[in-house]
Amino acid sequence: MSNSNYTADYFKKLLNMKPHIEGGYYNESFSSEDKIIIPCQNEKKHERVQWTSIYFLLEKNYVSNFHRLKSDEMWYFHAGNSLTIYIIAPDGELIIKNLGLDIDNGDEPQVLVPKDHVFGSAMNCEGFALVGCMVSPGFDFQDFEIFKRDELVKEYPQHEEIITRLTRD
């Protein structure tokens, strides 16, 4: 089967993907066996796996809502069409990255979202994107923060248009 014959449903089924709270579909694919100790505000130490990785799929007309992690997240393009990642830095700068393979037109096959940055993604073209996301230190839902529209618009009013698109009421 050529790459152009793959569909979103093909990947969702064969990779056992399920809906993600932020939007899109995911499946936890790998997790480090090694543990690390990280400092926490309210605890002396917290043990975490060194890294985690998921498959993530987003289709046309769907978005991954703005959220924030306390760890870096590296995105890797696998299949489909380019995915746009919107990142709001702590100082309010909006950074737009296209994750894909059309490098001549500005795509990047890998994109880093630094910890403590607000980010979300959208399909701005037809089809779907299958990507991989690796988080280090490993993903933990206690470090996952999803945003409501009003709170982000209040903090970053200059980005109201994209915030409206990538948040729920």
Side-chain angles (χ1 to χ4, degrees), residues 30 50-55 69 71-76 111-113 131-139:
F30 298 100
Q50 196 167 35
W51 55 265
T52 56
S53 183
I54 65 168
Y55 291 114
L69 301 177
S71 298
D72 290 343
E73 183 169 40
M74 181 62 79
W75 291 55
Y76 303 92
V111 171
L112 174 68
V113 177
V131 303
C133 300
M134 188 181 90
V135 177
S136 179
F139 179 82

Side-chain angles (χ1 to χ4, degrees), residues 3 5 7 9 21 48 60 69 80 82-83 89 94 136 156 160:
N3 189 29
N5 292 329
T7 65
D9 289 338
I21 188 172
R48 225 14 107 71
K60 173 76 174 156
L69 301 177
S82 300
L83 176 70
L94 177 64
S136 179
Y156 305 108
E160 183 173 5

Side-chain angles (χ1 to χ4, degrees), residues 90-102:
D91 67 3
E93 177 189 7
L94 177 64
I95 303 159
I96 300 172
K97 300 281 189 171
N98 288 314
L99 184 66
L101 298 179
D102 191 0

Side-chain angles (χ1 to χ4, degrees), residues 4 26 46 66 86-87 103 113 123 131 135-136 139 155 157:
S4 63
Y26 80 107
H46 183 72
F66 273 125
Y86 299 90
I87 305 165
I103 297 167
V113 177
M123 285 297 300
V131 303
V135 177
S136 179
F139 179 82
E155 189 167 350

Side-chain angles (χ1 to χ4, degrees), residues 17-163:
M17 301 179 93
K18 56 189 173 197
H20 198 296
I21 188 172
E22 74 194 41
Y25 295 86
Y26 80 107
N27 185 9
E28 299 168 4
S29 52
F30 298 100
S31 182
S32 172
E33 292 181 11
D34 295 330
K35 307 275 185 178
I36 59 172
I37 303 295
I38 59 172
C40 292
Q41 287 181 333
N42 298 328
E43 302 173 31
K44 292 180 185 175
K45 297 177 184 177
H46 183 72
E47 187 175 78
R48 225 14 107 71
V49 295
Q50 196 167 35
W51 55 265
T52 56
S53 183
I54 65 168
Y55 291 114
F56 181 72
L57 186 140
L58 200 60
E59 297 173 270
K60 173 76 174 156
N61 297 323
Y62 292 92
V63 301
S64 166
N65 288 276
F66 273 125
H67 58 288
R68 179 169 45 206
L69 301 177
K70 293 180 182 177
S71 298
D72 290 343
E73 183 169 40
M74 181 62 79
W75 291 55
Y76 303 92
F77 184 81
H78 293 308
N81 296 318
S82 300
L83 176 70
T84 304
I85 303 171
Y86 299 90
I87 305 165
I88 302 175
D91 67 3
E93 177 189 7
L94 177 64
I95 303 159
I96 300 172
K97 300 281 189 171
N98 288 314
L99 184 66
L101 298 179
D102 191 0
I103 297 167
D104 286 336
N105 288 309
D107 283 2
E108 299 174 48
Q110 299 177 11
V111 171
L112 174 68
V113 177
K115 67 180 181 177
D116 299 323
H117 285 55
V118 175
F119 67 103
S121 59
M123 285 297 300
N124 292 326
C125 59
E126 293 300 318
F128 70 95
L130 174 68
V131 303
C133 300
M134 188 181 90
V135 177
S136 179
F139 179 82
D140 188 319
F141 266 107
Q142 77 179 20
D143 292 342
F144 176 84
E145 182 180 10
I146 196 160
F147 292 96
K148 293 190 178 179
R149 183 171 299 145
D150 291 345
E151 62 187 307
L152 270 187
V153 169
K154 184 176 179 181
E155 189 167 350
Y156 305 108
Q158 70 273 31
H159 305 308
E160 183 173 5
E161 183 178 336
I162 193 61
I163 289 170

